[in-house]
Amino acid sequence: MFKIEEVSLDEIKLIGEFDASQAEIVTDFIERYEVTLTLDLEELSYISSMGLGILVKNYHRLNSMGYKVILKNLNEHIKDVFKYTRLDQLFVFDE
Amino acid sequence: MTNEIKYFSRNANELPMIFHFLNAVMKENASNIKLLNELKLSVEEIFMNMVRHNKTTNKDIAIRIETHKNSISISLIDHEDNPFDILDTDEIDFDEYFKQKKFGGLGIHLIKKLMDDLIFDHNAGKTTIKITKYTN
């Protein structure tokens, strides 16, 4: 079960399990934004490497326009995944 | 101790059913969300590698889960003649990775970080990739 919701014009929320089967849905949703984008991951229970790749791709896309990607409310598993892939050095964390 | 095997078609849409299989077999570890998620991530990565990179067969991919007192092992078994040995991959140079604005290829690195053992075997046209995580 996975859902993606718009919280405001510069914030979206990922909910549930973000696996490879959700790649197209998330890509289509996120690529509409051209702002400094906050991702609320409080209810994201799982992310795979495919999910990480989509977030990194959008980080580079927004960064090239002068914007940032801010992540907030990561659970322990998600934090570990970012740490092991050194992506904690790339994104801004709102803790 | 359990030893169960199921077969899945070569499609990303099978992932929810694969995760359901993992959850069902590992119900004794259901409270260990971190362990379950690490195993799911590793299984998804190996399964999707087999789906994406082996176009020589339409046969299902087998997933065998073995639970022991102090460990859990999961084997993914595919039919192929020219396998890709996931152990034969270079360490990622993250400075270069970020500099070149790459965004894929993190899965195998993650499996090596998250699992305690990773075995690749190819025999008689079948590739088996077995991951093991110690629970104590």
Side-chain angles (χ1 to χ4, degrees):
Chain A
M1 179 70 183
F2 177 78
K3 273 201 303 186
I4 183 166
E5 291 178 354
E6 183 172 273
V7 177
S8 66
L9 292 177
D10 61 358
E11 181 169 334
I12 60 176
K13 188 166 190 168
L14 305 182
I15 300 166
E17 299 194 329
F18 183 6
D19 62 40
S21 65
Q22 309 299 330
E24 204 175 319
I25 293 166
V26 178
T27 298
D28 290 348
F29 197 98
I30 292 186
E31 288 189 350
R32 296 181 295 152
Y33 291 86
E34 294 185 357
V35 291
T36 286
L37 184 65
T38 299
L39 302 181
D40 184 350
L41 307 184
E42 185 176 15
E43 294 180 57
L44 184 71
S45 56
Y46 167 83
I47 189 166
S48 67
S49 70
M50 175 81 83
L52 287 176
I54 290 167
L55 299 189
V56 174
K57 186 179 178 189
N58 278 281
Y59 165 86
H60 289 308
R61 180 181 65 83
L62 291 172
N63 194 248
S64 70
M65 299 175 190
Y67 301 120
K68 294 175 184 167
V69 176
I70 300 167
L71 305 179
K72 69 177 190 184
N73 300 327
L74 289 75
N75 72 27
E76 192 187 354
H77 163 67
I78 310 284
K79 268 185 195 164
D80 279 351
V81 168
F82 276 84
K83 187 176 74 182
Y84 291 144
T85 50
R86 310 250 184 107
L87 296 177
D88 54 349
Q89 298 169 17
L90 204 63
F91 291 94
V92 176
F93 290 82
D94 177 11
E95 307 250 31
Chain B
M1 184 178 148
T2 57
N3 184 341
E4 296 195 30
I5 189 163
K6 275 198 172 187
Y7 298 83
F8 298 91
S9 60
R10 317 179 70 82
N11 193 310
N13 291 330
E14 289 282 79
L15 288 168
M17 295 308 297
I18 293 171
F19 293 167
H20 180 74
F21 177 45
L22 256 74
N23 288 334
V25 175
M26 293 176 51
K27 50 183 180 279
E28 283 180 21
N29 293 286
S31 60
N32 193 340
I33 304 294
K34 189 170 184 294
L35 170 69
L36 272 171
N37 279 339
E38 288 175 357
L39 288 165
K40 280 183 190 176
L41 191 150
S42 302
V43 168
E44 175 179 338
E45 183 60 31
I46 296 166
F47 180 80
M48 289 307 299
N49 261 326
M50 288 172 166
V51 170
R52 283 196 298 256
H53 299 302
N54 180 14
K55 303 290 186 191
T56 62
T57 181
N58 288 321
K59 289 181 181 169
D60 289 349
I61 294 168
I63 300 181
R64 179 193 300 279
I65 306 176
E66 299 164 75
T67 64
H68 305 276
K69 190 178 172 190
N70 297 317
S71 68
I72 295 163
S73 291
I74 303 176
S75 301
L76 288 92
I77 304 148
D78 196 16
H79 295 77
E80 57 186 339
D81 292 324
N82 298 299
F84 166 61
D85 181 352
I86 68 168
L87 294 175
D88 190 22
T89 51
D90 294 331
E91 287 291 310
I92 295 176
D93 178 340
F94 279 96
D95 292 333
E96 276 302 306
Y97 185 89
F98 294 144
K99 201 183 290 179
Q100 293 178 21
K101 299 186 178 179
K102 291 184 177 178
F103 55 86
L106 296 169
I108 294 169
H109 168 81
L110 269 171
I111 296 172
K112 289 176 178 173
K113 284 279 179 192
L114 296 173
M115 294 294 109
D116 294 311
D117 199 16
L118 171 62
I119 295 171
F120 171 88
D121 180 59
H122 182 72
N123 189 25
K126 279 189 183 178
T127 292
T128 301
I129 298 175
K130 183 176 183 177
I131 52 175
T132 297
K133 185 80 178 174
Y134 298 110
T135 50
N136 283 326

